[in-house]
Short mmCIF file of all heavy atoms in Angstrom, two decimals:
data_model
loop_
_atom_site.label_atom_id
_atom_site.label_comp_id
_atom_site.label_asym_id
_atom_site.label_seq_id
_atom_site.Cartn_x
_atom_site.Cartn_y
_atom_site.Cartn_z
N THR J 122 -21.13 0.91 20.59
CA THR J 122 -21.87 1.54 19.51
C THR J 122 -23.36 1.34 19.63
O THR J 122 -24.16 2.23 19.46
CB THR J 122 -21.33 0.99 18.17
OG1 THR J 122 -19.91 1.21 18.09
CG2 THR J 122 -22.00 1.69 17.00
N VAL J 126 -26.10 4.18 20.10
CA VAL J 126 -27.21 4.40 19.12
C VAL J 126 -28.54 4.35 19.80
O VAL J 126 -29.40 5.17 19.59
CB VAL J 126 -27.13 3.36 17.97
CG1 VAL J 126 -28.37 3.47 17.05
CG2 VAL J 126 -25.86 3.60 17.13
N ALA J 129 -28.95 7.36 21.86
CA ALA J 129 -29.03 8.63 21.14
C ALA J 129 -30.39 8.78 20.41
O ALA J 129 -30.85 9.85 20.08
CB ALA J 129 -27.88 8.79 20.21
N THR J 130 -30.92 7.58 20.04
CA THR J 130 -32.13 7.58 19.14
C THR J 130 -33.28 8.40 19.80
O THR J 130 -33.81 9.31 19.15
CB THR J 130 -32.56 6.23 18.82
OG1 THR J 130 -31.48 5.55 18.13
CG2 THR J 130 -33.78 6.20 17.96
N ILE J 133 -32.44 12.05 19.68
CA ILE J 133 -32.60 12.71 18.35
C ILE J 133 -34.10 12.92 18.06
O ILE J 133 -34.49 13.98 17.55
CB ILE J 133 -31.97 11.84 17.27
CG1 ILE J 133 -30.47 11.91 17.39
CG2 ILE J 133 -32.37 12.29 15.87
CD1 ILE J 133 -29.69 10.88 16.57
N LEU J 137 -36.11 16.42 17.06
CA LEU J 137 -37.02 16.59 15.97
C LEU J 137 -38.43 17.04 16.46
O LEU J 137 -39.07 17.91 15.94
CB LEU J 137 -37.23 15.26 15.19
CG LEU J 137 -35.92 14.72 14.54
CD1 LEU J 137 -36.26 13.39 13.93
CD2 LEU J 137 -35.51 15.72 13.43
N ILE J 163 -39.72 15.26 9.01
CA ILE J 163 -38.97 14.49 8.04
C ILE J 163 -38.05 15.41 7.24
O ILE J 163 -36.89 15.10 6.86
CB ILE J 163 -39.86 13.68 7.16
CG1 ILE J 163 -39.04 12.45 6.59
CG2 ILE J 163 -40.46 14.48 6.00
CD1 ILE J 163 -39.95 11.38 6.02
N VAL J 165 -36.82 18.24 8.38
CA VAL J 165 -35.70 18.62 9.22
C VAL J 165 -34.61 17.54 9.31
O VAL J 165 -33.47 17.76 9.16
CB VAL J 165 -36.20 18.95 10.63
CG1 VAL J 165 -35.01 19.08 11.66
CG2 VAL J 165 -37.03 20.20 10.65
N ALA J 166 -35.12 16.29 9.44
CA ALA J 166 -34.20 15.17 9.49
C ALA J 166 -33.39 15.05 8.18
O ALA J 166 -32.14 14.87 8.19
CB ALA J 166 -34.97 13.87 9.71
N ALA J 167 -34.10 15.25 7.06
CA ALA J 167 -33.35 15.12 5.80
C ALA J 167 -32.32 16.24 5.66
O ALA J 167 -31.19 16.01 5.19
CB ALA J 167 -34.33 15.17 4.62
N GLY J 168 -32.75 17.43 6.03
CA GLY J 168 -31.77 18.60 5.94
C GLY J 168 -30.54 18.34 6.78
O GLY J 168 -29.42 18.61 6.39
N LEU J 169 -30.79 17.87 8.01
CA LEU J 169 -29.70 17.63 8.92
C LEU J 169 -28.76 16.52 8.38
O LEU J 169 -27.54 16.65 8.48
CB LEU J 169 -30.22 17.22 10.31
CG LEU J 169 -30.93 18.35 11.07
CD1 LEU J 169 -31.60 17.80 12.33
CD2 LEU J 169 -29.92 19.44 11.43
N ALA J 170 -29.36 15.54 7.84
CA ALA J 170 -28.57 14.44 7.24
C ALA J 170 -27.70 15.00 6.14
O ALA J 170 -26.48 14.70 6.12
CB ALA J 170 -29.47 13.33 6.71
N LEU J 171 -28.30 15.86 5.30
CA LEU J 171 -27.48 16.43 4.16
C LEU J 171 -26.33 17.26 4.72
O LEU J 171 -25.19 17.06 4.32
CB LEU J 171 -28.45 17.29 3.33
CG LEU J 171 -27.83 17.85 2.07
CD1 LEU J 171 -27.48 16.69 1.15
CD2 LEU J 171 -28.71 18.93 1.44
N PHE J 172 -26.66 18.06 5.70
CA PHE J 172 -25.59 18.93 6.27
C PHE J 172 -24.47 18.07 6.88
O PHE J 172 -23.30 18.32 6.60
CB PHE J 172 -26.19 19.86 7.34
CG PHE J 172 -25.16 20.83 7.88
CD1 PHE J 172 -24.98 22.09 7.27
CD2 PHE J 172 -24.44 20.51 8.98
CE1 PHE J 172 -24.09 22.92 7.78
CE2 PHE J 172 -23.48 21.44 9.52
CZ PHE J 172 -23.34 22.67 8.89
N THR J 173 -24.85 17.07 7.65
CA THR J 173 -23.91 16.26 8.30
C THR J 173 -23.00 15.52 7.29
O THR J 173 -21.77 15.36 7.42
CB THR J 173 -24.54 15.24 9.27
OG1 THR J 173 -25.51 15.93 10.03
CG2 THR J 173 -23.54 14.66 10.20
N ILE J 174 -23.69 15.02 6.22
CA ILE J 174 -22.98 14.23 5.26
C ILE J 174 -21.95 15.10 4.53
O ILE J 174 -20.84 14.79 4.33
CB ILE J 174 -23.93 13.57 4.24
CG1 ILE J 174 -24.62 12.42 4.92
CG2 ILE J 174 -23.21 13.15 2.97
CD1 ILE J 174 -25.79 11.82 4.10
N ILE J 175 -22.41 16.34 4.21
CA ILE J 175 -21.55 17.23 3.46
C ILE J 175 -20.33 17.67 4.30
O ILE J 175 -19.18 17.59 3.84
CB ILE J 175 -22.31 18.51 2.97
CG1 ILE J 175 -23.29 18.09 1.85
CG2 ILE J 175 -21.37 19.56 2.51
CD1 ILE J 175 -24.14 19.23 1.39
N PHE J 176 -20.54 18.07 5.52
CA PHE J 176 -19.45 18.62 6.30
C PHE J 176 -18.85 17.57 7.28
O PHE J 176 -17.87 17.84 7.91
CB PHE J 176 -19.88 19.89 7.05
CG PHE J 176 -20.12 20.95 6.12
CD1 PHE J 176 -21.46 21.33 5.81
CD2 PHE J 176 -19.11 21.61 5.52
CE1 PHE J 176 -21.69 22.38 4.91
CE2 PHE J 176 -19.33 22.62 4.62
CZ PHE J 176 -20.62 23.04 4.32
N GLY J 177 -19.50 16.45 7.42
CA GLY J 177 -18.98 15.43 8.32
C GLY J 177 -18.19 14.33 7.58
O GLY J 177 -17.40 13.62 8.18
N THR J 178 -18.42 14.17 6.27
CA THR J 178 -17.78 13.09 5.60
C THR J 178 -17.14 13.57 4.29
O THR J 178 -17.14 12.86 3.29
CB THR J 178 -18.78 11.98 5.22
OG1 THR J 178 -19.73 12.54 4.29
CG2 THR J 178 -19.54 11.47 6.44
N ARG J 179 -16.61 14.79 4.36
CA ARG J 179 -15.93 15.34 3.16
C ARG J 179 -14.72 14.42 2.81
O ARG J 179 -14.45 14.15 1.65
CB ARG J 179 -15.44 16.76 3.36
CG ARG J 179 -16.52 17.78 3.22
CD ARG J 179 -16.09 19.08 3.75
NE ARG J 179 -15.05 19.66 2.91
CZ ARG J 179 -15.30 20.48 1.92
NH1 ARG J 179 -16.54 20.81 1.69
NH2 ARG J 179 -14.37 20.96 1.16
N SER J 180 -14.09 14.01 3.87
CA SER J 180 -12.92 13.10 3.59
C SER J 180 -12.78 12.26 4.89
O SER J 180 -13.25 12.61 5.93
CB SER J 180 -11.66 13.88 3.31
OG SER J 180 -11.29 14.61 4.49
N LEU J 181 -11.98 11.23 4.71
CA LEU J 181 -11.62 10.45 5.93
C LEU J 181 -10.33 11.06 6.42
O LEU J 181 -9.26 10.65 6.18
CB LEU J 181 -11.39 8.98 5.53
CG LEU J 181 -12.58 8.10 5.42
CD1 LEU J 181 -12.16 6.69 5.14
CD2 LEU J 181 -13.38 8.17 6.68
N GLU J 185 -9.76 13.13 11.96
CA GLU J 185 -11.23 13.14 12.13
C GLU J 185 -11.78 14.46 12.64
O GLU J 185 -12.77 14.54 13.34
CB GLU J 185 -11.57 12.07 13.18
CG GLU J 185 -11.42 10.62 12.66
CD GLU J 185 -12.47 10.25 11.63
OE1 GLU J 185 -13.42 11.03 11.37
OE2 GLU J 185 -12.29 9.18 11.03
N HIS J 187 -13.37 18.28 11.92
CA HIS J 187 -14.34 18.80 10.95
C HIS J 187 -14.46 20.35 11.23
O HIS J 187 -15.44 20.71 11.90
CB HIS J 187 -15.63 18.10 11.05
CG HIS J 187 -15.52 16.63 10.94
ND1 HIS J 187 -15.35 15.81 12.08
CD2 HIS J 187 -15.53 15.76 9.89
CE1 HIS J 187 -15.22 14.57 11.71
NE2 HIS J 187 -15.32 14.49 10.39
N LEU J 190 -17.92 21.99 10.30
CA LEU J 190 -19.01 21.64 11.20
C LEU J 190 -18.88 22.30 12.55
O LEU J 190 -19.81 22.80 13.11
CB LEU J 190 -18.89 20.07 11.29
CG LEU J 190 -20.12 19.35 11.54
CD1 LEU J 190 -20.07 18.05 10.73
CD2 LEU J 190 -20.25 19.03 13.06
N GLN J 261 -17.11 13.56 20.87
CA GLN J 261 -16.68 14.07 19.58
C GLN J 261 -16.11 15.48 19.67
O GLN J 261 -15.02 15.75 19.22
CB GLN J 261 -17.86 14.06 18.60
CG GLN J 261 -17.59 14.60 17.21
CD GLN J 261 -16.92 13.58 16.31
OE1 GLN J 261 -17.15 12.39 16.51
NE2 GLN J 261 -16.09 14.06 15.45
N THR J 337 -30.54 21.35 16.03
CA THR J 337 -29.76 20.93 14.91
C THR J 337 -28.28 20.61 15.26
O THR J 337 -27.69 19.66 14.79
CB THR J 337 -29.79 21.95 13.75
OG1 THR J 337 -29.40 23.22 14.32
CG2 THR J 337 -31.14 22.06 13.14
N MET J 339 -27.08 19.58 18.03
CA MET J 339 -26.91 18.32 18.73
C MET J 339 -27.08 17.16 17.73
O MET J 339 -26.31 16.20 17.73
CB MET J 339 -28.04 18.23 19.79
CG MET J 339 -28.09 16.87 20.49
SD MET J 339 -29.19 15.70 19.68
CE MET J 339 -28.56 14.20 20.31
N VAL J 340 -28.13 17.26 16.82
CA VAL J 340 -28.37 16.16 15.93
C VAL J 340 -27.18 15.97 14.98
O VAL J 340 -26.73 14.84 14.73
CB VAL J 340 -29.65 16.40 15.08
CG1 VAL J 340 -29.82 15.33 14.06
CG2 VAL J 340 -30.83 16.41 16.07
N ILE J 341 -26.65 17.11 14.52
CA ILE J 341 -25.53 16.95 13.54
C ILE J 341 -24.32 16.29 14.20
O ILE J 341 -23.84 15.32 13.64
CB ILE J 341 -25.13 18.40 13.08
CG1 ILE J 341 -26.16 18.96 12.14
CG2 ILE J 341 -23.78 18.33 12.42
CD1 ILE J 341 -25.99 20.46 11.88
N VAL J 342 -23.96 16.68 15.36
CA VAL J 342 -22.75 16.16 16.00
C VAL J 342 -23.05 14.69 16.43
O VAL J 342 -22.20 13.79 16.23
CB VAL J 342 -22.28 16.98 17.20
CG1 VAL J 342 -21.08 16.29 17.85
CG2 VAL J 342 -21.96 18.36 16.75
N ALA J 343 -24.30 14.46 16.91
CA ALA J 343 -24.61 13.10 17.34
C ALA J 343 -24.59 12.14 16.11
O ALA J 343 -24.03 11.03 16.15
CB ALA J 343 -25.98 13.07 18.00
N ALA J 344 -25.17 12.63 15.01
CA ALA J 344 -25.18 11.79 13.80
C ALA J 344 -23.79 11.54 13.32
O ALA J 344 -23.41 10.41 12.92
CB ALA J 344 -26.00 12.43 12.73
N LEU J 345 -22.92 12.56 13.40
CA LEU J 345 -21.56 12.39 12.99
C LEU J 345 -20.83 11.37 13.83
O LEU J 345 -20.19 10.40 13.34
CB LEU J 345 -20.83 13.78 13.07
CG LEU J 345 -19.34 13.76 12.69
CD1 LEU J 345 -19.14 13.36 11.23
CD2 LEU J 345 -18.70 15.07 13.03
N ALA J 346 -20.96 11.56 15.17
CA ALA J 346 -20.30 10.67 16.10
C ALA J 346 -20.73 9.23 15.97
O ALA J 346 -19.98 8.27 15.84
CB ALA J 346 -20.45 11.14 17.53
N LEU J 347 -22.10 9.07 15.84
CA LEU J 347 -22.61 7.75 15.76
C LEU J 347 -22.31 7.06 14.42
O LEU J 347 -21.99 5.86 14.34
CB LEU J 347 -24.20 7.80 15.90
CG LEU J 347 -24.64 8.12 17.27
CD1 LEU J 347 -26.16 8.30 17.34
CD2 LEU J 347 -24.21 7.10 18.33
N SER J 348 -22.24 7.92 13.37
CA SER J 348 -21.94 7.30 12.08
C SER J 348 -20.51 6.80 12.04
O SER J 348 -20.18 5.80 11.46
CB SER J 348 -22.20 8.31 10.94
OG SER J 348 -21.20 9.29 10.93
N THR J 349 -19.62 7.54 12.68
CA THR J 349 -18.21 7.13 12.78
C THR J 349 -18.14 5.74 13.45
O THR J 349 -17.46 4.84 12.94
CB THR J 349 -17.34 8.13 13.52
OG1 THR J 349 -17.54 9.41 12.95
CG2 THR J 349 -15.90 7.75 13.55
N MET J 350 -18.87 5.71 14.59
CA MET J 350 -18.87 4.41 15.29
C MET J 350 -19.49 3.30 14.51
O MET J 350 -18.93 2.17 14.49
CB MET J 350 -19.58 4.62 16.65
CG MET J 350 -18.78 5.54 17.65
SD MET J 350 -19.82 6.27 18.89
CE MET J 350 -20.32 4.90 19.83
N LEU J 351 -20.65 3.59 13.95
CA LEU J 351 -21.35 2.53 13.21
C LEU J 351 -20.48 2.02 12.06
O LEU J 351 -20.34 0.84 11.88
CB LEU J 351 -22.64 3.08 12.67
CG LEU J 351 -23.82 3.10 13.61
CD1 LEU J 351 -24.99 3.83 13.00
CD2 LEU J 351 -24.23 1.62 13.93
N SER J 352 -19.90 2.95 11.31
CA SER J 352 -19.20 2.52 10.13
C SER J 352 -17.85 1.81 10.57
O SER J 352 -17.50 0.77 9.98
CB SER J 352 -18.87 3.66 9.15
OG SER J 352 -17.96 4.56 9.78
N ASN J 353 -17.21 2.41 11.58
CA ASN J 353 -15.88 1.83 11.97
C ASN J 353 -16.06 0.47 12.68
O ASN J 353 -15.17 -0.40 12.58
CB ASN J 353 -15.12 2.77 12.90
CG ASN J 353 -14.48 3.91 12.02
OD1 ASN J 353 -14.67 3.97 10.86
ND2 ASN J 353 -13.81 4.76 12.69
N ILE J 356 -20.27 -1.64 10.53
CA ILE J 356 -20.43 -1.88 9.03
C ILE J 356 -19.12 -2.35 8.47
O ILE J 356 -19.07 -3.39 7.74
CB ILE J 356 -20.91 -0.63 8.39
CG1 ILE J 356 -22.29 -0.17 8.93
CG2 ILE J 356 -21.02 -0.83 6.86
CD1 ILE J 356 -22.78 1.04 8.43
N VAL J 377 -15.42 2.91 0.42
CA VAL J 377 -16.39 2.13 1.10
C VAL J 377 -16.62 2.71 2.48
O VAL J 377 -17.80 2.82 2.97
CB VAL J 377 -15.86 0.64 1.21
CG1 VAL J 377 -16.79 -0.20 2.15
CG2 VAL J 377 -15.83 0.03 -0.14
N ALA J 378 -15.54 3.09 3.16
CA ALA J 378 -15.71 3.65 4.52
C ALA J 378 -16.50 4.93 4.47
O ALA J 378 -17.42 5.14 5.31
CB ALA J 378 -14.26 3.94 5.11
N LEU J 379 -16.25 5.78 3.50
CA LEU J 379 -17.02 7.02 3.42
C LEU J 379 -18.54 6.75 3.14
O LEU J 379 -19.33 7.32 3.79
CB LEU J 379 -16.49 7.86 2.28
CG LEU J 379 -15.31 8.82 2.65
CD1 LEU J 379 -14.89 9.58 1.43
CD2 LEU J 379 -15.78 9.75 3.74
N MET J 380 -18.75 5.76 2.27
CA MET J 380 -20.12 5.44 1.95
C MET J 380 -20.78 4.85 3.13
O MET J 380 -21.97 5.21 3.50
CB MET J 380 -20.10 4.41 0.81
CG MET J 380 -21.43 4.13 0.23
SD MET J 380 -22.37 5.62 -0.21
CE MET J 380 -21.33 6.31 -1.48
N ALA J 381 -20.07 4.04 3.95
CA ALA J 381 -20.64 3.45 5.14
C ALA J 381 -21.02 4.59 6.11
O ALA J 381 -22.08 4.55 6.76
CB ALA J 381 -19.66 2.50 5.81
N ARG J 382 -20.14 5.58 6.21
CA ARG J 382 -20.40 6.71 7.11
C ARG J 382 -21.61 7.47 6.67
O ARG J 382 -22.46 7.86 7.50
CB ARG J 382 -19.15 7.54 7.21
CG ARG J 382 -19.01 8.25 8.49
CD ARG J 382 -17.64 8.73 8.66
NE ARG J 382 -16.73 7.68 9.09
CZ ARG J 382 -15.54 7.99 9.59
NH1 ARG J 382 -15.11 9.25 9.71
NH2 ARG J 382 -14.73 7.01 9.99
N ARG J 383 -21.71 7.71 5.39
CA ARG J 383 -22.86 8.50 4.90
C ARG J 383 -24.18 7.71 5.16
O ARG J 383 -25.20 8.28 5.57
CB ARG J 383 -22.70 8.77 3.41
CG ARG J 383 -21.70 9.86 3.19
CD ARG J 383 -21.29 10.08 1.75
NE ARG J 383 -20.18 10.98 1.71
CZ ARG J 383 -19.26 11.01 0.79
NH1 ARG J 383 -19.32 10.15 -0.25
NH2 ARG J 383 -18.28 11.90 0.75
N LEU J 384 -24.15 6.46 4.84
CA LEU J 384 -25.33 5.59 5.06
C LEU J 384 -25.67 5.62 6.53
O LEU J 384 -26.85 5.67 6.97
CB LEU J 384 -25.12 4.19 4.59
CG LEU J 384 -25.05 4.00 3.06
CD1 LEU J 384 -24.72 2.59 2.72
CD2 LEU J 384 -26.42 4.37 2.49
N SER J 385 -24.66 5.57 7.43
CA SER J 385 -24.90 5.51 8.87
C SER J 385 -25.63 6.86 9.34
O SER J 385 -26.52 6.81 10.15
CB SER J 385 -23.59 5.40 9.61
OG SER J 385 -22.91 4.25 9.22
N ILE J 386 -25.12 7.99 8.74
CA ILE J 386 -25.76 9.24 9.13
C ILE J 386 -27.21 9.19 8.79
O ILE J 386 -28.12 9.55 9.59
CB ILE J 386 -25.05 10.40 8.42
CG1 ILE J 386 -23.63 10.59 8.97
CG2 ILE J 386 -25.91 11.68 8.53
CD1 ILE J 386 -22.83 11.55 8.22
N GLY J 387 -27.51 8.76 7.54
CA GLY J 387 -28.89 8.64 7.13
C GLY J 387 -29.67 7.69 8.09
O GLY J 387 -30.75 7.98 8.51
N GLY J 388 -29.05 6.58 8.36
CA GLY J 388 -29.70 5.57 9.21
C GLY J 388 -29.96 6.08 10.59
O GLY J 388 -31.08 5.89 11.13
N VAL J 389 -29.06 6.79 11.22
CA VAL J 389 -29.20 7.33 12.55
C VAL J 389 -30.36 8.29 12.59
O VAL J 389 -31.22 8.25 13.43
CB VAL J 389 -27.89 7.99 13.06
CG1 VAL J 389 -28.13 8.84 14.21
CG2 VAL J 389 -26.85 6.94 13.35
N LEU J 390 -30.38 9.18 11.57
CA LEU J 390 -31.44 10.18 11.57
C LEU J 390 -32.81 9.50 11.31
O LEU J 390 -33.84 9.88 11.85
CB LEU J 390 -31.15 11.27 10.55
CG LEU J 390 -30.05 12.14 11.03
CD1 LEU J 390 -29.55 13.06 9.94
CD2 LEU J 390 -30.52 12.98 12.22
N PHE J 391 -32.78 8.47 10.44
CA PHE J 391 -34.01 7.78 10.20
C PHE J 391 -34.54 7.03 11.44
O PHE J 391 -35.71 7.12 11.75
CB PHE J 391 -33.78 6.77 9.06
CG PHE J 391 -35.06 6.03 8.65
CD1 PHE J 391 -35.96 6.70 7.82
CD2 PHE J 391 -35.34 4.72 9.13
CE1 PHE J 391 -37.16 6.06 7.50
CE2 PHE J 391 -36.52 4.13 8.74
CZ PHE J 391 -37.45 4.76 7.94
N LEU J 392 -33.58 6.51 12.21
CA LEU J 392 -34.00 5.90 13.51
C LEU J 392 -34.68 6.89 14.39
O LEU J 392 -35.70 6.64 15.02
CB LEU J 392 -32.77 5.29 14.15
CG LEU J 392 -32.46 3.80 14.03
CD1 LEU J 392 -31.20 3.47 14.90
CD2 LEU J 392 -33.67 2.97 14.54
N GLY J 393 -34.00 8.01 14.52
CA GLY J 393 -34.52 9.09 15.33
C GLY J 393 -35.95 9.48 14.88
O GLY J 393 -36.82 9.68 15.72
N TYR J 394 -36.02 9.65 13.58
CA TYR J 394 -37.37 10.01 13.03
C TYR J 394 -38.37 8.90 13.33
O TYR J 394 -39.54 9.20 13.75
CB TYR J 394 -37.27 10.25 11.51
CG TYR J 394 -38.60 10.44 10.86
CD1 TYR J 394 -39.24 11.66 11.02
CD2 TYR J 394 -39.18 9.48 10.10
CE1 TYR J 394 -40.51 11.85 10.44
CE2 TYR J 394 -40.39 9.67 9.50
CZ TYR J 394 -41.07 10.88 9.64
OH TYR J 394 -42.31 11.02 9.07
N GLY J 395 -37.98 7.68 13.14
CA GLY J 395 -38.88 6.57 13.47
C GLY J 395 -39.32 6.55 14.95
O GLY J 395 -40.47 6.38 15.22
#
Side-chain angles (χ1 to χ4, degrees):
Chain J
T122 302
V126 171
T130 299
I133 290 169
L137 294 176
I163 205 164
V165 169
L169 290 173
L171 186 66
F172 185 88
T173 314
I174 285 170
I175 288 177
F176 293 103
T178 65
R179 281 167 69 93
S180 67
L181 279 183
E185 290 289 352
H187 309 87
L190 212 138
Q261 179 81 29
T337 53
M339 176 269 161
V340 174
I341 287 167
V342 179
L345 177 66
L347 290 175
S348 73
T349 305
M350 290 157 67
L351 276 172
S352 69
N353 283 2
I356 299 177
V377 172
L379 272 180
M380 190 48 66
R382 208 164 280 195
R383 286 172 186 151
L384 288 175
S385 304
I386 289 171
V389 164
L390 288 169
F391 183 78
L392 261 182
Y394 173 73

